[in-house]
Amino acid sequence: MNFATTAVTAASAVTVTMRAEEWSSTATTCNEEFAPRAHWYYAIFCPVCTAAIAKSNMDQSSPVYNVFCVPPCVTYSYLRLGYNLKGSWQTDCINGFLCAPCGARQAYTESKKKGHIAGHYGLQDQQWSSELFRCDDLQEVVKALFCPCIVAHDIRTMIQPTAHPAFDYPCLFPVAMYGIIRNMFGITSEWPHPALEDAGVGCFLYPCALNRALREAAYQKTVNATNAVAGVIGSAQARVQQLGTKALRSVGQLGKSSAPPAPGMS
């Protein structure tokens, strides 16, 4: 069993499924109250730019990087799962690809309402857990070289478990996963600008970059699962200790009430 599989197995024990929320507006909403007219102007004039900014609003990523590496349909899907909104991979295709301005406007409006999501997104205060040119697993290298779309989907399911392969295989750019993972986990970039590293390494060293992103996603998922399990165990121990203390107090009070009266006190 490889490291990635171990991570998924460990995390599955502590994964909690939350009920998806409603979008604040539909893709075709024209009501000024729910979909400001300016948002429609942005989306119609440049849906790619609007989607890129929407993703940046959510995860503090570089809009320039998003324009070139993250298609609007992927942004729509990524934002939907990131905010835990209702929908499916089919609606991601329809609203994000077949009607890009509608999907871009909806995503942009949602990102303006909800803002940044919690986490290390864009903080650049962490380090990679593995080297870029780590080639000790030949199978991993070959898979990334000849089946990058499959590896990209594997990475995405570690950060967004409900992502669907029917959407990811044709729509998700494998070269984008390096930047998405680096930004998501707040990993420090040593390049003049993080977007340059994300685009340069992701495009020109894609097998190594893809595998590094895969290892990082697996590592972070294992860490999160371990922390979650530790939190559950800690809470259980605290509860047991609390119940034990109450039981001892009850026994003590019972002993006092049942003790025979002292001589001369009757």
Side-chain angles (χ1 to χ4, degrees):
M1 182 179 292
N2 59 29
F3 186 65
T5 305
T6 303
V8 174
T9 304
S12 62
V14 294
T15 299
V16 178
T17 302
M18 299 176 62
R19 179 174 296 181
E21 301 177 4
E22 295 285 352
W23 290 80
S24 62
S25 66
T26 64
T28 56
T29 297
C30 295
N31 189 319
E32 181 72 18
E33 180 182 355
F34 300 103
R37 194 171 302 169
H39 295 185
W40 273 111
Y41 292 157
Y42 299 153
I44 293 172
F45 177 73
C46 185
V48 175
C49 300
T50 306
I53 296 173
K55 183 175 180 297
S56 179
N57 290 341
M58 185 187 78
D59 65 3
Q60 304 186 64
S61 56
S62 168
V64 177
Y65 175 78
N66 294 337
V67 165
F68 291 101
C69 297
V70 185
C73 59
V74 173
T75 291
Y76 187 92
S77 175
Y78 181 77
L79 185 141
R80 178 179 65 81
L81 295 181
Y83 285 141
N84 191 33
L85 300 170
K86 289 185 177 180
S88 64
W89 69 269
Q90 292 95 331
T91 58
D92 295 342
C93 291
I94 294 172
N95 295 333
F97 181 72
L98 297 180
C99 188
C102 299
R105 197 284 310 158
Q106 187 183 20
Y108 180 76
T109 300
E110 201 69 32
S111 71
K112 294 292 285 185
K113 289 181 179 294
K114 287 187 166 56
H116 301 320
I117 54 180
H120 284 274
Y121 292 90
L123 294 181
Q124 295 201 62
D125 59 355
Q126 304 295 316
Q127 299 296 325
W128 289 99
S129 62
S130 65
E131 297 296 328
L132 176 62
F133 298 107
R134 174 180 156 184
C135 301
D136 53 344
D137 189 337
L138 183 59
Q139 182 179 356
E140 183 182 82
V141 175
V142 172
K143 187 176 181 180
L145 188 61
F146 294 102
C147 305
C149 294
I150 296 177
V151 178
H153 171 68
D154 291 343
I155 296 171
R156 192 182 180 201
T157 54
M158 292 183 191
I159 58 176
Q160 295 183 331
T162 56
H164 201 283
F167 176 86
D168 286 350
Y169 290 164
C171 299
L172 186 62
F173 289 177
V175 296
M177 298 313 300
Y178 183 89
I180 289 175
I181 292 299
R182 190 202 60 75
N183 178 77
M184 180 177 185
F185 296 116
I187 297 174
T188 302
S189 173
E190 297 179 354
W191 288 45
H193 194 282
L196 295 177
E197 176 184 354
D198 296 341
V201 175
C203 291
F204 298 106
L205 300 172
Y206 88 88
C208 298
L210 201 56
N211 281 331
R212 192 184 204 185
L214 177 68
R215 292 191 298 270
E216 189 65 33
Y219 169 77
Q220 294 291 345
K221 191 158 191 174
T222 300
V223 170
N224 291 338
T226 302
N227 291 340
V229 171
V232 171
I233 294 175
S235 298
Q237 289 176 338
R239 181 60 177 168
V240 169
Q241 185 176 7
Q242 184 181 16
L243 292 174
T245 302
K246 288 183 178 180
L248 290 175
R249 289 176 181 174
S250 299
V251 171
Q253 292 175 355
L254 181 62
K256 290 180 180 180
S257 62
S258 61
M265 297 295 293
S266 57

Tab-separated table of all heavy atoms in Angstrom, residues 23 25-27 51 55 70-82 85-88 91-97 99-100 102-108 156 167:
chain	number	residue	atom	x	y	z
A	23	TRP	N	-26.583	28.047	-3.491
A	23	TRP	CA	-25.904	29.209	-4.046
A	23	TRP	C	-26.695	30.463	-3.677
A	23	TRP	O	-27.915	30.410	-3.524
A	23	TRP	CB	-25.822	29.110	-5.565
A	23	TRP	CG	-24.900	28.060	-6.095
A	23	TRP	CD1	-25.156	26.726	-6.210
A	23	TRP	CD2	-23.577	28.257	-6.602
A	23	TRP	NE1	-24.076	26.074	-6.759
A	23	TRP	CE2	-23.092	26.990	-7.012
A	23	TRP	CE3	-22.759	29.377	-6.758
A	23	TRP	CZ2	-21.828	26.815	-7.562
A	23	TRP	CZ3	-21.501	29.202	-7.309
A	23	TRP	CH2	-21.038	27.940	-7.700
A	25	SER	N	-27.123	32.859	-5.662
A	25	SER	CA	-27.820	33.242	-6.892
A	25	SER	C	-27.703	32.108	-7.895
A	25	SER	O	-26.780	31.296	-7.813
A	25	SER	CB	-27.229	34.528	-7.482
A	25	SER	OG	-25.892	34.307	-7.924
A	26	THR	N	-28.620	32.051	-8.833
A	26	THR	CA	-28.531	31.052	-9.891
A	26	THR	C	-27.664	31.593	-11.022
A	26	THR	O	-27.329	32.784	-11.052
A	26	THR	CB	-29.922	30.700	-10.439
A	26	THR	OG1	-30.486	31.869	-11.060
A	26	THR	CG2	-30.840	30.227	-9.320
A	27	ALA	N	-27.319	30.723	-11.952
A	27	ALA	CA	-26.441	31.138	-13.046
A	27	ALA	C	-27.088	32.177	-13.950
A	27	ALA	O	-26.393	32.965	-14.598
A	27	ALA	CB	-26.026	29.919	-13.869
A	51	ALA	N	-13.644	34.603	-13.721
A	51	ALA	CA	-13.490	33.328	-13.018
A	51	ALA	C	-12.169	33.289	-12.251
A	51	ALA	O	-12.105	32.786	-11.127
A	51	ALA	CB	-13.554	32.175	-14.016
A	55	LYS	N	-11.792	32.770	-8.127
A	55	LYS	CA	-10.957	31.775	-7.440
A	55	LYS	C	-9.991	32.458	-6.479
A	55	LYS	O	-9.753	31.979	-5.364
A	55	LYS	CB	-10.187	30.932	-8.452
A	55	LYS	CG	-9.345	29.820	-7.826
A	55	LYS	CD	-8.699	28.958	-8.897
A	55	LYS	CE	-7.852	27.850	-8.264
A	55	LYS	NZ	-6.730	28.375	-7.474
A	70	VAL	N	-5.972	27.790	-14.973
A	70	VAL	CA	-7.201	27.219	-14.405
A	70	VAL	C	-8.392	27.675	-15.247
A	70	VAL	O	-8.813	28.830	-15.158
A	70	VAL	CB	-7.399	27.651	-12.938
A	70	VAL	CG1	-8.611	26.937	-12.342
A	70	VAL	CG2	-6.151	27.358	-12.117
A	71	PRO	N	-8.956	26.797	-16.072
A	71	PRO	CA	-10.093	27.177	-16.924
A	71	PRO	C	-11.310	27.576	-16.091
A	71	PRO	O	-11.465	27.131	-14.948
A	71	PRO	CB	-10.382	25.897	-17.725
A	71	PRO	CG	-9.163	25.053	-17.586
A	71	PRO	CD	-8.559	25.399	-16.270
A	72	PRO	N	-12.191	28.409	-16.641
A	72	PRO	CA	-13.386	28.835	-15.899
A	72	PRO	C	-14.244	27.677	-15.397
A	72	PRO	O	-14.799	27.750	-14.295
A	72	PRO	CB	-14.145	29.681	-16.931
A	72	PRO	CG	-13.085	30.218	-17.826
A	72	PRO	CD	-12.069	29.123	-17.933
A	73	CYS	N	-14.354	26.609	-16.187
A	73	CYS	CA	-15.176	25.481	-15.744
A	73	CYS	C	-14.571	24.810	-14.509
A	73	CYS	O	-15.290	24.368	-13.606
A	73	CYS	CB	-15.357	24.469	-16.872
A	73	CYS	SG	-13.823	23.767	-17.528
A	74	VAL	N	-13.237	24.752	-14.443
A	74	VAL	CA	-12.571	24.172	-13.276
A	74	VAL	C	-12.742	25.092	-12.071
A	74	VAL	O	-12.971	24.631	-10.950
A	74	VAL	CB	-11.080	23.925	-13.567
A	74	VAL	CG1	-10.344	23.489	-12.302
A	74	VAL	CG2	-10.918	22.870	-14.651
A	75	THR	N	-12.647	26.394	-12.304
A	75	THR	CA	-12.871	27.345	-11.218
A	75	THR	C	-14.271	27.187	-10.644
A	75	THR	O	-14.464	27.187	-9.424
A	75	THR	CB	-12.682	28.791	-11.717
A	75	THR	OG1	-11.304	29.005	-12.019
A	75	THR	CG2	-13.117	29.799	-10.665
A	76	TYR	N	-15.251	27.041	-11.522
A	76	TYR	CA	-16.639	26.874	-11.074
A	76	TYR	C	-16.767	25.633	-10.195
A	76	TYR	O	-17.353	25.671	-9.111
A	76	TYR	CB	-17.561	26.770	-12.285
A	76	TYR	CG	-19.035	26.759	-11.943
A	76	TYR	CD1	-19.769	27.946	-11.904
A	76	TYR	CD2	-19.696	25.572	-11.654
A	76	TYR	CE1	-21.118	27.945	-11.593
A	76	TYR	CE2	-21.045	25.561	-11.334
A	76	TYR	CZ	-21.748	26.749	-11.309
A	76	TYR	OH	-23.089	26.743	-10.990
A	77	SER	N	-16.198	24.525	-10.652
A	77	SER	CA	-16.252	23.271	-9.895
A	77	SER	C	-15.464	23.376	-8.592
A	77	SER	O	-15.922	22.940	-7.526
A	77	SER	CB	-15.696	22.131	-10.753
A	77	SER	OG	-15.614	20.933	-10.024
A	78	TYR	N	-14.275	23.949	-8.677
A	78	TYR	CA	-13.400	24.106	-7.509
A	78	TYR	C	-14.065	24.979	-6.452
A	78	TYR	O	-14.041	24.672	-5.253
A	78	TYR	CB	-12.083	24.719	-7.979
A	78	TYR	CG	-11.039	24.934	-6.915
A	78	TYR	CD1	-10.285	23.873	-6.424
A	78	TYR	CD2	-10.779	26.206	-6.422
A	78	TYR	CE1	-9.309	24.077	-5.459
A	78	TYR	CE2	-9.806	26.423	-5.463
A	78	TYR	CZ	-9.071	25.356	-4.983
A	78	TYR	OH	-8.108	25.565	-4.024
A	79	LEU	N	-14.692	26.064	-6.897
A	79	LEU	CA	-15.358	26.972	-5.969
A	79	LEU	C	-16.603	26.322	-5.365
A	79	LEU	O	-16.876	26.469	-4.175
A	79	LEU	CB	-15.707	28.267	-6.704
A	79	LEU	CG	-16.305	29.407	-5.885
A	79	LEU	CD1	-15.745	30.750	-6.362
A	79	LEU	CD2	-17.825	29.420	-6.009
A	80	ARG	N	-17.345	25.580	-6.185
A	80	ARG	CA	-18.547	24.911	-5.675
A	80	ARG	C	-18.201	23.938	-4.555
A	80	ARG	O	-18.851	23.918	-3.497
A	80	ARG	CB	-19.259	24.170	-6.811
A	80	ARG	CG	-20.505	23.394	-6.357
A	80	ARG	CD	-21.182	22.690	-7.511
A	80	ARG	NE	-20.358	21.645	-8.093
A	80	ARG	CZ	-20.234	20.420	-7.591
A	80	ARG	NH1	-20.853	20.089	-6.468
A	80	ARG	NH2	-19.470	19.514	-8.190
A	81	LEU	N	-17.173	23.136	-4.758
A	81	LEU	CA	-16.783	22.174	-3.732
A	81	LEU	C	-16.084	22.861	-2.560
A	81	LEU	O	-16.221	22.436	-1.415
A	81	LEU	CB	-15.876	21.102	-4.338
A	81	LEU	CG	-16.529	20.204	-5.398
A	81	LEU	CD1	-15.534	19.172	-5.914
A	81	LEU	CD2	-17.763	19.516	-4.849
A	82	GLY	N	-15.333	23.915	-2.848
A	82	GLY	CA	-14.646	24.634	-1.781
A	82	GLY	C	-15.602	25.297	-0.807
A	82	GLY	O	-15.365	25.305	0.405
A	85	LEU	N	-21.192	23.918	-1.954
A	85	LEU	CA	-22.459	24.352	-2.530
A	85	LEU	C	-23.104	23.215	-3.319
A	85	LEU	O	-22.430	22.292	-3.771
A	85	LEU	CB	-22.227	25.554	-3.458
A	85	LEU	CG	-21.610	26.783	-2.789
A	85	LEU	CD1	-21.199	27.801	-3.842
A	85	LEU	CD2	-22.584	27.408	-1.799
A	86	LYS	N	-24.396	23.300	-3.491
A	86	LYS	CA	-25.124	22.263	-4.214
A	86	LYS	C	-24.764	22.279	-5.696
A	86	LYS	O	-24.501	23.329	-6.277
A	86	LYS	CB	-26.629	22.459	-4.041
A	86	LYS	CG	-27.132	22.144	-2.639
A	86	LYS	CD	-28.644	22.239	-2.560
A	86	LYS	CE	-29.139	21.842	-1.171
A	86	LYS	NZ	-30.613	21.920	-1.065
A	87	GLY	N	-24.782	21.096	-6.285
A	87	GLY	CA	-24.473	20.974	-7.703
A	87	GLY	C	-23.867	19.620	-8.002
A	87	GLY	O	-23.776	18.747	-7.135
A	88	SER	N	-23.440	19.440	-9.237
A	88	SER	CA	-22.845	18.179	-9.668
A	88	SER	C	-21.827	18.477	-10.758
A	88	SER	O	-21.699	19.618	-11.216
A	88	SER	CB	-23.927	17.235	-10.208
A	88	SER	OG	-24.527	17.795	-11.371
A	91	THR	N	-23.511	20.022	-13.805
A	91	THR	CA	-23.773	21.465	-13.750
A	91	THR	C	-22.476	22.256	-13.852
A	91	THR	O	-22.473	23.377	-14.370
A	91	THR	CB	-24.504	21.843	-12.448
A	91	THR	OG1	-23.714	21.431	-11.320
A	91	THR	CG2	-25.860	21.174	-12.370
A	92	ASP	N	-21.384	21.677	-13.380
A	92	ASP	CA	-20.085	22.341	-13.538
A	92	ASP	C	-19.757	22.508	-15.017
A	92	ASP	O	-19.255	23.557	-15.445
A	92	ASP	CB	-18.983	21.528	-12.856
A	92	ASP	CG	-19.150	21.461	-11.342
A	92	ASP	OD1	-19.886	22.303	-10.794
A	92	ASP	OD2	-18.551	20.567	-10.725
A	93	CYS	N	-20.035	21.470	-15.797
A	93	CYS	CA	-19.774	21.534	-17.243
A	93	CYS	C	-20.687	22.545	-17.927
A	93	CYS	O	-20.247	23.343	-18.759
A	93	CYS	CB	-19.972	20.155	-17.874
A	93	CYS	SG	-18.734	18.928	-17.420
A	94	ILE	N	-21.969	22.511	-17.569
A	94	ILE	CA	-22.943	23.394	-18.224
A	94	ILE	C	-22.668	24.859	-17.895
A	94	ILE	O	-22.554	25.706	-18.788
A	94	ILE	CB	-24.374	23.005	-17.804
A	94	ILE	CG1	-24.718	21.607	-18.337
A	94	ILE	CG2	-25.381	24.033	-18.324
A	94	ILE	CD1	-26.028	21.060	-17.808
A	95	ASN	N	-22.556	25.160	-16.601
A	95	ASN	CA	-22.392	26.554	-16.186
A	95	ASN	C	-20.971	27.066	-16.351
A	95	ASN	O	-20.754	28.270	-16.505
A	95	ASN	CB	-22.816	26.722	-14.727
A	95	ASN	CG	-24.292	26.459	-14.515
A	95	ASN	OD1	-25.100	26.626	-15.418
A	95	ASN	ND2	-24.656	26.028	-13.318
A	96	GLY	N	-20.004	26.164	-16.295
A	96	GLY	CA	-18.623	26.604	-16.387
A	96	GLY	C	-18.039	26.567	-17.779
A	96	GLY	O	-17.070	27.273	-18.070
A	97	PHE	N	-18.633	25.754	-18.654
A	97	PHE	CA	-18.063	25.598	-19.997
A	97	PHE	C	-19.035	26.036	-21.092
A	97	PHE	O	-18.719	26.896	-21.911
A	97	PHE	CB	-17.648	24.143	-20.216
A	97	PHE	CG	-17.023	23.876	-21.552
A	97	PHE	CD1	-15.745	24.327	-21.836
A	97	PHE	CD2	-17.716	23.182	-22.532
A	97	PHE	CE1	-15.170	24.095	-23.082
A	97	PHE	CE2	-17.154	22.941	-23.776
A	97	PHE	CZ	-15.874	23.400	-24.050
A	99	CYS	N	-21.804	27.689	-20.805
A	99	CYS	CA	-22.256	29.071	-20.604
A	99	CYS	C	-21.274	29.755	-19.656
A	99	CYS	O	-21.608	30.067	-18.510
A	99	CYS	CB	-23.672	29.097	-20.043
A	99	CYS	SG	-24.388	30.759	-19.974
A	100	ALA	N	-20.062	29.959	-20.148
A	100	ALA	CA	-18.977	30.481	-19.311
A	100	ALA	C	-19.295	31.819	-18.648
A	100	ALA	O	-19.009	31.997	-17.458
A	100	ALA	CB	-17.694	30.583	-20.128
A	102	CYS	N	-22.161	32.998	-17.673
A	102	CYS	CA	-23.131	32.766	-16.593
A	102	CYS	C	-22.443	32.136	-15.382
A	102	CYS	O	-22.649	32.558	-14.237
A	102	CYS	CB	-24.253	31.851	-17.080
A	102	CYS	SG	-25.202	32.502	-18.473
A	103	GLY	N	-21.635	31.109	-15.641
A	103	GLY	CA	-20.938	30.444	-14.546
A	103	GLY	C	-19.916	31.341	-13.878
A	103	GLY	O	-19.768	31.327	-12.655
A	104	ALA	N	-19.208	32.136	-14.686
A	104	ALA	CA	-18.200	33.045	-14.129
A	104	ALA	C	-18.858	34.102	-13.249
A	104	ALA	O	-18.359	34.427	-12.169
A	104	ALA	CB	-17.415	33.706	-15.252
A	105	ARG	N	-19.991	34.633	-13.709
A	105	ARG	CA	-20.704	35.637	-12.909
A	105	ARG	C	-21.199	35.034	-11.605
A	105	ARG	O	-21.060	35.628	-10.525
A	105	ARG	CB	-21.883	36.189	-13.725
A	105	ARG	CG	-22.477	37.503	-13.214
A	105	ARG	CD	-23.349	37.356	-11.996
A	105	ARG	NE	-24.336	36.309	-12.164
A	105	ARG	CZ	-24.929	35.688	-11.146
A	105	ARG	NH1	-24.614	35.993	-9.892
A	105	ARG	NH2	-25.813	34.729	-11.368
A	106	GLN	N	-21.766	33.831	-11.677
A	106	GLN	CA	-22.277	33.173	-10.473
A	106	GLN	C	-21.148	32.900	-9.478
A	106	GLN	O	-21.289	33.138	-8.275
A	106	GLN	CB	-22.984	31.871	-10.844
A	106	GLN	CG	-23.696	31.203	-9.675
A	106	GLN	CD	-24.334	29.877	-10.065
A	106	GLN	OE1	-23.961	29.263	-11.062
A	106	GLN	NE2	-25.300	29.429	-9.282
A	107	ALA	N	-20.020	32.409	-9.985
A	107	ALA	CA	-18.878	32.125	-9.115
A	107	ALA	C	-18.313	33.409	-8.515
A	107	ALA	O	-17.965	33.456	-7.331
A	107	ALA	CB	-17.797	31.390	-9.906
A	108	TYR	N	-18.235	34.450	-9.327
A	108	TYR	CA	-17.693	35.726	-8.847
A	108	TYR	C	-18.585	36.321	-7.755
A	108	TYR	O	-18.097	36.765	-6.710
A	108	TYR	CB	-17.566	36.701	-10.016
A	108	TYR	CG	-17.006	38.049	-9.639
A	108	TYR	CD1	-15.643	38.210	-9.391
A	108	TYR	CD2	-17.832	39.161	-9.520
A	108	TYR	CE1	-15.123	39.450	-9.041
A	108	TYR	CE2	-17.320	40.399	-9.172
A	108	TYR	CZ	-15.966	40.540	-8.933
A	108	TYR	OH	-15.464	41.771	-8.578
A	156	ARG	N	-6.743	15.828	-6.763
A	156	ARG	CA	-7.920	16.632	-6.430
A	156	ARG	C	-8.839	15.910	-5.453
A	156	ARG	O	-9.443	16.538	-4.577
A	156	ARG	CB	-8.690	16.999	-7.699
A	156	ARG	CG	-9.734	18.068	-7.408
A	156	ARG	CD	-10.563	18.461	-8.587
A	156	ARG	NE	-11.520	19.483	-8.175
A	156	ARG	CZ	-12.637	19.755	-8.820
A	156	ARG	NH1	-12.941	19.103	-9.926
A	156	ARG	NH2	-13.461	20.685	-8.375
A	167	PHE	N	-15.454	14.679	-14.979
A	167	PHE	CA	-15.181	16.107	-15.158
A	167	PHE	C	-13.681	16.379	-15.176
A	167	PHE	O	-13.182	17.119	-16.027
A	167	PHE	CB	-15.838	16.914	-14.033
A	167	PHE	CG	-15.531	18.385	-14.083
A	167	PHE	CD1	-16.299	19.242	-14.852
A	167	PHE	CD2	-14.458	18.924	-13.372
A	167	PHE	CE1	-16.008	20.603	-14.919
A	167	PHE	CE2	-14.165	20.271	-13.427
A	167	PHE	CZ	-14.944	21.115	-14.202
